[in-house]
Every structure is written in structure tokens, then in C-alpha cells.
């Protein structure tokens, strides 16, 4: 009980509250502008927040993340363009509703559903993370290695179009993670005599380049004029009694689906929204309305893509395995602050967990109010030219990276990662597994080597661990089903040859 | 063979070539990691677990999956790419944008943050497509002042 009180008492700090406010405003803007992803903005913000105490830094980062999930519905509904990938499913019914002159109704329903989803996810995090962390105390090096492998496999199978490319991307990240001092014996590897590289490739500079610079370069490379019009007829805000009834079932579906999917490494708001929309359609009495302005469809999608936040944080903090790219950045930031995510965090620093719960609840409440404010002016923001955003993002990437350690080497690493990110994207590789590989590489190596030292070099030790074998089995099943699914999809989409005349 | 068939065949060929070259690059990268790991001591405490062990495992994975990708590419069974089309007129500007950033990073520690940032981002803003010189200048001045104020004044970063 003391930890709960102390955790919430930390929120009485005015700097934490200001951090939440700043994070919410920045996150809303990030969500509103398509092309600026939550991952990019959290990556850039992480360089700013390193100088702050953990509570203030987390207040900013978490608020940006959850606010981006609110803001991204606006362009999805008004312009049929998801503000972040998490709002892809919102476009299915949000934009058709806007075209029917019900944009304000869609935004209001979306606000309520997002708030409910967020609170549900936060509750899952508050109640599930401690038991999960306690269970994880049973994990030894073998189990942690299996868990890391599971995380990398899930990321590779879920986030990439091609399974083989996803696995290669993960291995590229693992290869970069070998730069620096070997985690067991401290031997310098791939440092090329550069002293700064002994601490490894900087995580923050790398992700800023991979998600910030690469994104800008790709948008610039593929830029063409936008054709979608902005829906300007907002219509009424308040739903009728019948419409309010329609929201209830998809609200439940979205909450549970989102929280569950969030716990799976690599599965983020985009997947949660899509699966929830699909499930709601299956269980609806009017599935024919989905995709044409269904309130049920909109509700399910938007509830899931905020509920996912709590699920992802549960896995990240309790097990030390990131739920998606954004939580990977949180994990990196926590490590820099000297806080090690995983079971020990819950034993050594339980008040921080409740502080995080409090931050998320306050941010959700603030965003709920902010989102209900009439947003006619926001439609004008959506027509801001991209070139203005691009140059601003590049400058903040460069200066933000320099600010991490006042090092130009970091900035060069960022630029290199930006080029790598662009090349990987153009060749069909997802950057997510690369980030996960970079972050989890040292954990994977140290746990594997410790395991093998204990067993005197024998891999049979894994057979004696039921948890490790279960995780290996799930990883193998995920790989096989992903392979079979992609083969089936290829057979369905391969065009039949035309008959010769 | 119809024209439609020939266009499809061409697209397939370029995808095959791209994936083949990608696979070769991955194998080469894996080979480089393996070669680098050769120079690490093969120390052992109780088994054979030295600092070369993990890099060799990763390199082996890269080479192995690189070969799989190569086989798939040559047999034409790789998944088609789902990426936005490149606007051909943007290729050279993108290379120029990258070049401006590189020159900026060389110039900044030698000349100073403010003048280099203003010049570099004036050029970058124009390249990105901000219509007129005075608009680009105004925008880059605003950006530079905001970043100077935020990082130098507020956060104490020695720009």
C-alpha cells in the first residue's frame, strides 16, 4: 500500500504535471500530422529527457505516446490518412462517416472509445504486471534467452511482409549489438580503436536515424501531391441513444483485444486495431455496414489501439522485452537512467510502476478533455506543407542526437542509421526487428553464454527447462504459421498467365 | 507474347535482381562479421564460450538466411515489395539533401552552430520544396532560433 501512495504522491510534483501537459500537446500534434510517427517523436524526445529525473522524463515520453494514439484519429477521419499506423483501421469507417457529414460524431465516439480503451489497458498494466514480474523471478539465464528469442521471432513474423527478411533484419540488429565490450569478459569487439565505441553503438542516435532521418528521406523520395480532400462538414457531436447502444459491444471487444495483443512483442496498435475491427465485424448483427461508416467498426478499432498501451507496458516492464518499437525506446531510456526493466524493477522500485499508472491516467483524462474541444481549426493544420515539417524534423534529429552525449560521433551514427533505414525500407526490410536486435542482443548473448557455462557447453540444459521449451515451441509455431500463411497468400495473388492467341 | 506479359516479366526480372543483390549483400555482411570474429580470442572458462562465440553465431545466421534469400530470389519466390513508388524527379534532390547534411556536420564544429545551421537549412528547405527564398530563410531562421533557445539556453547543450 505504501508503494501505491508514494507512487501517486510523485505526481504532485509540478514538473511531472508540466511534463504530462507538454507530452500530451506534442503527442496530439504528432498524431495529427501524418508522416510524423509516435516512434520517431518518442525517439527524438528521449534525447531531451535523458537530463531529467526518470519520473519527469517518463511523463513526457508516455504522454507523447498515448497522445499520439488520440491525435492520429483526426486525419484518419477527416482526410482518410492515418496519423500513425495505429489508426489504419480507423479510416475504414471513420472517413466514410465524415463523408456522410458525421465527422464530429465520429470524432466524439472515437474520443470516448479511446479513453475507455486506455483506462482498460492501464488497469491491465496495474493489476497484471506485478504477478507477471513475480512469475518472471523464476526465470534463469536459459529462460531469459528463450524469452529474447521469442521476442525477436514474434517481431520478425509480425512486422515484416517477408519472414526471411524479418529474421535477417533481427540478425542485423544483433550484429550491430556486438559492437563494444563483450558483456561477459569485457573484450572490445568491432571498435576499430575508437574509444567511444567501447560502450557500443548509441541506442538513441541509432533509433533517431532509423526512424527519424530514414522516414524523412523516404517521404522526400516518394513525395507526390496529396489528392484527398479534407472533410469540412462536421455535423452533430452527440450520439443518439441508439448509437450509444451500438458502441458497447465493440468497446468490450476492442479493450480485451488491444490489451492482449499489446502483451505480444512487436504487435502494436496497428495490428490491434485491425484484429479488433475484424472481430467486431464477425460478431456484429450488421457486418455489411462495416467499411461504409459503421459506428461499431469505428468503436472497436479505436478502443483497441489505445488499450494496447497497457498491454505493451506490461510485457516491457515486467519481463524486460519491449512490446513494440516505442516501448523499446522506453526500455532504452530506463536503462540509461539506471533502472533495469524486468522482475527486479518491481522489487527494487515498485513506486515507479504506480507513478507510471498515475501518469497514464492523468494524461488520458487530459486528452479526453482536449479531444472534445471543437477542432475545426485542426483541419487547417492538416494542410501544412510537408517541406516545413521535413526540415524541422531533420534539424531536431541532428541537434537532439548531439545533445545525448555532446558527441559528433553519435550524429554520424545517426546519419548512417538513417541511410541504413532508408535502404532497408526500400528493399522490404522492417526496421522494428533491427531495433529489437540492437536492444536485446547483449541480453541474449549474456544469458546464452551464462547458460552454456553452467552446462559446460551443452545445449541439453534447455531441455530441462519447461518455460524455455514452451517459448521455443511458440516461436517455432509462429515461424511455421507465418511461412504457411505467406505461401498461401502468394498462391492467391499470383496472376494467372493469359492464354496465347 | 503480349505487351502486358512483357511488362510483367520485366517487373519480375528487376525484383529478382534486386533480391539477389540484397541476398549477396547480406551474405557478404555475415562473412565480414565472421571474419572480424576470427581475430577475437577463443578464450574459454569451462566450455568454449569466448567473445568470438556470439558474433560467429550471428554471422552464421546472416549467411544462412542470406543463402535462403538468394535461393528464393533466383527461383522467383520472394514476396513482392509493397513500398511507395519512388518519384524519379526526387532522386537527385534526395542525394543533394544528404550531401548538404554531410557538409553541415563537417562545417558545424569548425565554423559554429548558428551560421552553419542557417545556411544548411536554408538550402535544405529550398530543396525540400519551400517555394520562395524569403519563405525558406524565414523558416530556417525560426527553426534555428527555436533549437538554439531550447538546446543551448534551456538544456545547456554546448552547441
Amino acid at each position: 500500500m505504501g508503494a501505491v501512495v508514494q507512487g501517486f504522491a510523485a505526481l504532485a510534483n509540478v514538473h511531472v504535471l508540466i511534463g504530462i501537459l507538454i507530452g500530451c500537446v506534442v503527442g496530439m500534434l504528432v498524431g495529427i500530422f501524418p508522416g510524423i510517427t509516435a516512434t520517431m517523436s518518442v525517439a527524438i524526445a528521449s534525447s531531451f529527457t535523458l537530463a531529467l529525473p526518470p519520473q519527469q522524463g517518463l511523463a513526457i515520453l508516455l504522454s507523447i505516446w498515448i497522445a499520439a494514439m488520440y491525435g492520429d484519429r483526426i486525419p484518419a477521419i477527416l482526410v482518410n490518412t492515418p496519423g500513425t499506423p495505429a489508426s489504419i483501421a480507423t479510416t475504414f469507417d471513420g472517413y466514410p462517416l465524415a463523408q456522410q457529414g458525421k465527422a464530429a460524431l465520429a470524432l466524439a465516439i472515437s474520443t470516448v472509445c479511446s479513453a475507455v480503451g486506455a483506462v482498460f489497458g492501464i488497469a491491465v498494466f496495474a493489476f497484471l504486471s506485478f504477478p507477471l514480474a513475480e512469475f518472471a523471478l523464476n526465470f534463469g539465464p536459459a529462460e531469459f534467452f528463450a524469452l529474447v528469442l521469442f521476442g525477436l521471432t514474434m517481431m520478425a513474423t509480425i512486422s515484416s511482409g517477408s519472414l526471411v527478411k524479418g529474421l535477417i533484419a533481427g540478425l542485423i540488429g544483433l550484429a550491430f549489438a556486438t559492437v563494444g565490450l563483450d558483456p561477459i569478459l569485457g573484450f572490445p569487439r568491432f571498435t576499430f580503436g575508437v574509444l567511444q565505441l567501447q560502450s557500443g553503438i548509441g541506442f538513441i542516435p541509432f533509433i533517431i536515424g532509423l526512424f527519424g532521418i530514414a522516414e524523412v528521406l523516404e517521404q522526400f523520395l516518394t513525395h507526390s501531391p496529396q489528392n484527398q480532400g479534407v472533410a469540412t462538414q462536421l455535423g452533430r457531436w452527440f450520439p443518439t441513444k441508439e448509437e450509444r447502444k451500438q458502441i458497447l459491444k465493440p468497446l468490450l471487444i476492442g479493450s480485451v483485444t488491444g490489451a492482449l495483443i499489446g502483451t505480444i512483442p512487436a504487435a502494436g496498435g496497428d495490428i490491434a486495431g485491425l484484429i479488433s475491427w475484424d472481430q467486431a465485424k464477425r460478431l456484429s448483427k450488421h457486418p455489411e455496414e462495416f467499411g461504409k461508416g459503421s459506428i461499431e467498426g469505428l468503436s472497436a478499432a479505436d478502443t483497441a489501439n489505445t488499450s494496447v498501451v497497457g498491454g505493451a507496458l506490461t510485457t516491457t516492464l515486467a519481463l524486460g522485452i519491449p512490446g513494440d518499437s516505442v516501448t523499446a525506446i522506453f526500455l532504452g531510456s530506463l536503462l540509461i537512467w539506471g533502472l533495469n526493466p524486468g522482475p527486479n524493477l518491481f522489487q527494487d522500485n515498485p513506486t515507479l510502476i504506480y507513478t507510471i499508472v498515475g501518469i497514464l491516467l492523468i494524461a488520458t483524462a487530459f486528452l479526453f478533455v482536449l479531444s472534445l474541444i471543437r477542432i475545426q481549426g485542426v483541419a487547417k493544420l492538416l494542410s501544412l506543407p510537408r517541406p516545413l515539417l521535413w526540415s524541422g524534423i531533420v534539424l531536431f534529429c541532428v541537434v537532439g542526437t548531439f545533445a545525448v552525449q555532446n558527441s559528433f560521433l553519435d550524429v554520424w551514427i545517426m546519419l548512417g542509421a538513417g541511410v541504413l533505414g532508408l535502404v532497408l525500407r526500400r528493399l522490404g526490410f522492417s526496421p522494428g526487428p533491427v531495433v529489437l536486435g540492437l536492444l536485446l542482443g547483449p541480453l541474449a548473448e549474456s544469458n546464452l553464454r551464462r547458460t552454456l557455462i553452467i552446462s559446460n557447453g551443452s545445449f541439453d540444459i534447455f531441455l530441462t527447462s519447461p518455460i524455455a521449451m514452451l517459448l521455443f515451441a511458440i516461436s517455432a509455431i509462429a515461424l511455421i504459421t507465418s511461412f504457411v500463411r505467406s505461401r498461401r497468400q502468394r498462391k492467391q495473388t499470383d496472376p494467372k498467365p493469359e492464354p496465347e492467341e | 507474347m503480349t505487351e502486358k506479359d512483357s511488362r510483367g516479366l520485366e517487373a519480375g526480372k528487376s525484383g529478382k535482381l534486386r533480391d539477389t543483390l540484397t541476398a549477396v549483400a547480406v551474405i557478404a555482411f555475415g562473412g565480414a562479421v565472421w571474419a572480424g570474429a576470427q581475430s577475437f580470442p577463443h578464450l574459454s572458462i569451462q566450455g568454449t564460450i569466448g567473445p568470438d562465440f556470439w558474433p560467429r553465431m550471428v554471422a552464421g545466421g546472416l549467411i544462412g538466411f542470406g543463402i535462403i534469400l538468394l535461393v528464393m530470389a533466383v527461383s522467383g519466390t520472394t514476396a513482392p515489395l509493397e513500398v511507395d513508388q519512388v518519384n524519379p524527379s526526387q532522386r537527385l534532390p534526395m542525394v543533394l539533401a544528404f550531401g548538404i547534411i554531410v557538409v553541415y556536420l563537417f562545417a558545424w564544429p569548425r565554423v559554429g552552430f548558428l551560421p552553419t545551421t542557417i545556411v544548411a537549412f536554408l538550402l535544405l528547405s529550398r530543396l525540400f520544396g519551400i517555394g520562395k527564398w524569403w519563405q525558406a530563410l524565414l523558416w530556417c531562421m525560426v527553426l534555428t532560433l527555436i533549437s538554439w533557445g531550447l538546446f543551448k539556453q534551456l538544456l545547456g547543450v554546448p552547441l
Side-chain angles (χ1 to χ4, degrees), chain A residues 151-451:
Chain A
L152 286 167
T153 309
M154 295 305 289
M155 178 70 88
T157 55
I158 290 174
S159 64
S160 285
S162 159
L163 174 61
V164 172
K165 287 184 177 176
L167 291 167
I168 289 173
L171 285 163
I172 290 173
L174 289 175
F176 281 117
T178 61
V179 175
L181 297 180
D182 139 47
I184 304 282
L185 298 172
F187 183 82
R189 297 183 301 198
F190 301 116
T191 58
F192 308 107
V194 178
L195 198 64
Q196 258 184 292
L197 285 179
Q198 287 195 359
S199 51
I201 288 179
F203 180 70
I204 303 289
F206 193 86
I207 54 166
I208 290 176
L210 205 66
F211 290 104
I213 298 290
E215 181 67 37
V216 169
L217 291 177
E218 191 180 25
Q219 284 185 27
F220 185 44
L221 194 60
T222 59
H223 180 59
S224 58
Q226 297 282 340
N227 288 327
Q228 293 285 357
V230 179
T232 51
Q233 292 291 331
L234 295 181
R236 65 180 164 89
W237 288 78
F238 205 75
T240 61
K241 191 176 173 186
E242 182 56 39
E243 286 164 347
R244 292 199 296 272
K245 269 193 203 168
Q246 289 177 37
I247 294 170
L248 294 173
K249 190 164 75 175
L251 206 62
L252 184 64
I253 294 170
S255 299
V256 173
T257 308
L260 203 65
I261 287 173
T263 59
I264 302 171
D270 48 350
I271 293 170
L274 289 166
I275 292 179
S276 178
W277 185 88
D278 190 57
Q279 287 303 310
K281 184 178 177 184
R282 283 171 203 271
L283 297 171
S284 170
K285 289 178 186 167
H286 301 285
E288 70 283 356
E289 289 176 11
F290 279 64
K292 296 172 187 165
S294 164
I295 285 173
E296 290 180 62
L298 178 68
S299 306
D302 278 352
T303 312
N305 77 17
T306 44
S307 175
V308 82
V309 167
L313 274 176
T314 303
T315 315
T316 303
L317 296 182
L319 301 177
I321 304 294
D324 60 10
S325 302
V326 177
T327 45
I329 299 166
F330 289 145
L331 204 136
S333 296
L334 284 170
L335 289 169
I336 294 170
W337 279 314
L339 302 162
N340 292 315
N344 292 328
L345 180 69
F346 288 74
Q347 286 199 316
D348 301 337
N349 214 331
T351 56
L352 183 69
I353 306 302
Y354 292 109
T355 302
I356 290 173
V357 170
I359 288 169
L360 291 171
L361 285 172
I362 293 174
T364 302
F366 180 69
L367 288 163
F368 180 73
V369 171
L370 193 64
S371 298
L372 288 178
I373 294 171
R374 286 186 178 269
I375 45 81
Q376 272 165 314
V378 171
K380 290 185 184 160
L381 272 180
L382 291 170
S383 50
L384 197 68
R386 291 283 177 97
L388 293 179
L389 294 176
W390 291 334
S391 45
I393 290 169
V394 169
L395 180 59
F396 276 90
C397 283
V398 169
V399 184
T401 302
F402 178 78
V404 175
Q405 290 187 106
N406 303 335
S407 160
F408 278 99
L409 178 63
D410 282 345
V411 186
W412 288 111
I413 287 172
M414 179 213 67
L415 201 59
V419 172
L420 175 71
L422 178 65
V423 169
L424 287 177
R425 283 164 203 242
R426 299 309 306 169
L427 295 176
F429 291 86
S430 173
V434 180
V435 170
L436 211 61
L438 181 69
L439 192 63
L440 297 179
L443 196 67
E445 179 183 0
S446 56
N447 282 295
L448 178 61
R449 285 169 69 182
R450 281 196 196 106
T451 306

Side-chain angles (χ1 to χ4, degrees), chain A residues 189 220 223 391 426 453 490, chain B residues 46 51 77-78 84 87 90:
Chain A
R189 297 183 301 198
F220 185 44
H223 180 59
S391 45
R426 299 309 306 169
I453 287 170
R490 284 294 316 274
Chain B
Q46 289 177 353
T77 53
T78 50
D84 290 335
N87 184 341
Q90 297 288 85

Side-chain angles (χ1 to χ4, degrees), chain A residues 454-466:
Chain A
I454 291 167
S455 68
N456 211 20
S458 169
F459 282 86
D460 289 348
I461 190 170
F462 289 106
L463 296 174
T464 63
S465 166

